Amino acid sequence: MENPKEYYESNINKINKNLGELERIILTFAVLRLIIVIVGIAVMYYLYKADKFIYLCASFLATLLIFILTAIFHNNKINEKEQYLLKLEYNEKGLKRINGEWKEFEDKGEEFLNNSHNFSGDLDIFGKNSLFQWINTTKSPLGRKKLAEILSLKSLPNKQIIKDRQEAIKELSGKREFCENIYISFNKGKKDKHSVDKFLAWMEKEEKISFTVRYVPYLFITITLLFLYLTAAGRVPVNYLILDLFVNYLVVKLLTKNLSDSINIILENKNAIIQYEKILRILSSEEFSTRKLVKLKEKLINSGENCMVEINKLKNIVNWIGDSNANAYYLLLNVFMLSDIFVLYNLEKWRRKNGFKIRTWIKTIAEFEALISISNIAFDNPKWSYPDFTEERSIECRGIAHPLLGEKAESNDFALHHGKKAALITGSNMSGKSTFLRTIGFNMVLGYIGSPVRAEKLNSGIFSIYTCMRTQDNLEESISSFYAEILRIKLVIEAARSGEKVFFLLDEIFKGTNSKDRHDGAKILIEQLVKSGGIGLVSTHDFELCDLENIHNWLINFNFQEYYIDDKIKFDYKLRNGRSMTQNAKYLMKLAGIEIVEN
C-alpha cells in the first residue's frame, strides 16, 4: 500500500524541480521575445533607410511570424507553469492534512453553518476546525454545495447507498492522478464570479429562433459577394462596397440586439464553460468499476450522445464570441460574413438541443468533486477501517478515536448492544466526556458518507443523529441558552416519537437550572427517548443520575477519570465502566489563581 506522506512529498519534490526548469525556460523566452522585437525594428529601420520596400515588408512579416510563434510557445510554458502550481497546491494540501496543518486552509464552509441542524454545529461539520475544512478539495460552487449536502446527511442513506459510496471512495482513493487532474482543471486563483443558477436558468429557457435571424443573413452575404465581384471588376466604385459593409454592420447590430443577454451570460461564464469542458473530457476518458461511479458517468451520455462532443461544440462557440470582443480582425469578418448572427444562431441551436442536459453534466461534476474530497480521508489514512452497518438499534466500536485530533487523540472501546440503550458518561471537568460524545457522532457521520472511520471496528445501526451540546443565547429572538436547550431537546423528542431511529448525544443537559430540576428533567428525558426507540449517550455531572442503572437494565454507566502527579492534574482520556467517583472543580479554580477559603 502506497504511503500517503511519501507520495505527497515525492510529488512535491518532482513538481518543484519541474517548476525550476520552467522558470528558466520562461525567462529565456521572455528575453528572446524582446530581442526579436529589437532586432526586427533595427532591420526594418535599416531597410527603410535603404529604400528597399519589398525587403522591408518581407522583414516585417518574418519578424511578426517569428514573434507570434515564440509568443505561442512562451504562453504555453506559462500555462504549463500554472498547471504545475495547481499540482503543487494539491499535493501540499494533502501533506498538510497528514501533518495536522489543515486548520490553516481558508475554505471553512462557514456559509453552511446552521444552528438548527440536527448535529452539524455540535459535531464540527462546518466552520473553523471542521470536517469540511479538513477534507474539502472542491473548486466549483455546486461541488462545495454537494459536499455540504452529503456531510449534512440531508437524506439518511440506507445500507446499499452506504455500501456503494464505500466502494466508490475506495476506488477514488486509488485514482490519485485522476483526482489531481480534476483539481487542476480549475484555474488557479480565479474565483467563480459567474452565477451557476442564472447560467442554468438561461440554458433551460425555451425560445424560438426567429425566421429573420435564420435566413436573412444569407441575403446580405450574397449582396456583399456581388459588390465584391463588381468592385474587383471595376464596374462600381469602391464606395458602394464600403456602404454595403456599413449596412451589414447595422444589420448585425439590429438582429443581435435582443440577444445581448445571451452574449453577456456566455462571456460571464466563458471561463467556467472551458473548465467544464476540460473536466468532462477527463471524466469521459476515465474507466470506473464500482457501481456508483459507473452510474455517475452514465449520466454524461444522453440519448446516446456523449457530452464530450456537445460541450466541445459549446466551447468553440464561446471562443468565437470571446474573439468577437477581443480581436480587430473579427470586425472585418463580421461585416463581410455577418459572423455574429451565425455564432448566436449556433448558440441558440446548441441551447435548444442541450440546454436541459447541461444541468445534469454540471451536477455530475459536482458529485465527483464531493466524492473525491471524501476519498482524501481514505487515501490519507490507509490504516482506518470501513464500518459495517446493521438494521439493529445498536452500536459497537473498538479503538475509536476522534479523526480531527491527530496523534494526541486517545482511542476507546464502547458499545450499546444486547439490550443496552443509553449510556451515562460521568467524569470530572476536562476529563474528555464531551470529546468522546463528538468522537462517536463524528465517526458515525464519516461512516454514513462512505468514508473509513478512525476505529479498529465500528458496527452500527443507521440512525438520525441528534445532538444537544452547544446551545447559546439568541439575543435577536430573546432566547436564553437554557430555553434554547429546551427547544433543542424538544426537537429530539419529537423526532423519536415520530418514528425516526434516533441516536442522541446530549452533553450536560439542563445545566441552566437548579440541581433538582436538572436531575428530574434529565431522568424524564432519557426515559422518554429510550421508550420512543432512541439510543444514545448523555454526559453529566449529576452523579445521582447514575442510580438509574439500578432501575433500568437498558442503561449503563461509563466514566473518565483524572489523576495527579506532583500535585499536577493529569488526564488519560480512557473510558471506564461504572460511575465517576472524582471531582476537580476546586483544583481547577486554584490552578486558575482563584483563592479558596475553606469554612
Side-chain angles (χ1 to χ4, degrees), residues 96-112:
K96 285 179 179 180
R97 286 195 302 267
I98 292 173
N99 291 338
E101 299 169 357
W102 54 270
K103 294 178 182 178
E104 66 187 52
F105 294 166
E106 291 184 7
D107 193 355
K108 304 176 181 66
E110 291 174 323
E111 72 269 37
F112 303 118

Side-chain angles (χ1 to χ4, degrees), residues 458-475:
L458 174 59
N459 192 308
S460 170
I462 301 174
F463 301 96
S464 296
I465 301 172
Y466 284 84
T467 63
C468 183
M469 305 179 78
R470 287 175 177 153
T471 51
Q472 298 177 344
D473 296 344
N474 189 326
L475 299 180

Side-chain angles (χ1 to χ4, degrees), residues 200-218:
L200 292 176
W202 175 81
M203 274 290 179
E204 294 168 350
K205 187 177 179 181
E206 292 189 13
E207 287 183 348
K208 291 184 178 180
I209 302 173
S210 70
F211 176 87
T212 305
V213 172
R214 179 72 177 88
Y215 295 106
V216 166
Y218 292 105

Side-chain angles (χ1 to χ4, degrees), residues 355-405:
F356 283 91
K357 301 173 187 175
I358 197 166
R359 181 182 293 272
T360 298
W361 300 344
I362 295 175
K363 289 177 73 174
T364 300
I365 291 173
E367 189 160 0
F368 266 105
E369 279 193 279
L371 292 173
I372 287 170
S373 290
I374 298 170
S375 77
N376 293 332
I377 304 173
F379 179 77
D380 296 346
N381 303 280
K383 293 182 179 179
W384 291 13
S385 64
Y386 285 89
D388 295 315
F389 294 95
T390 175
E391 299 297 333
E392 302 295 324
R393 294 178 185 255
S394 63
I395 181 171
E396 181 181 4
C397 38
R398 183 173 67 246
I400 194 167
H402 201 297
L404 299 185
L405 294 183

Side-chain angles (χ1 to χ4, degrees), residues 137-169:
T137 51
T138 63
K139 301 290 283 294
S140 72
L142 287 186
R144 294 179 75 256
K145 288 180 181 179
K146 184 61 182 181
L147 179 60
E149 177 186 313
I150 294 174
L151 299 185
S152 301
L153 298 179
K154 191 173 181 180
S155 56
L156 194 64
N158 56 36
K159 285 178 65 175
Q160 186 60 54
I161 290 174
I162 295 173
K163 183 181 178 182
D164 289 345
R165 280 184 185 169
Q166 287 179 340
E167 291 174 350
I169 296 305

Side-chain angles (χ1 to χ4, degrees), residues 121-135:
D122 288 334
L123 297 185
D124 302 310
I125 305 301
F126 305 107
K128 187 177 180 181
N129 304 335
S130 65
L131 173 58
F132 185 93
Q133 184 183 12
W134 177 41
I135 68 171

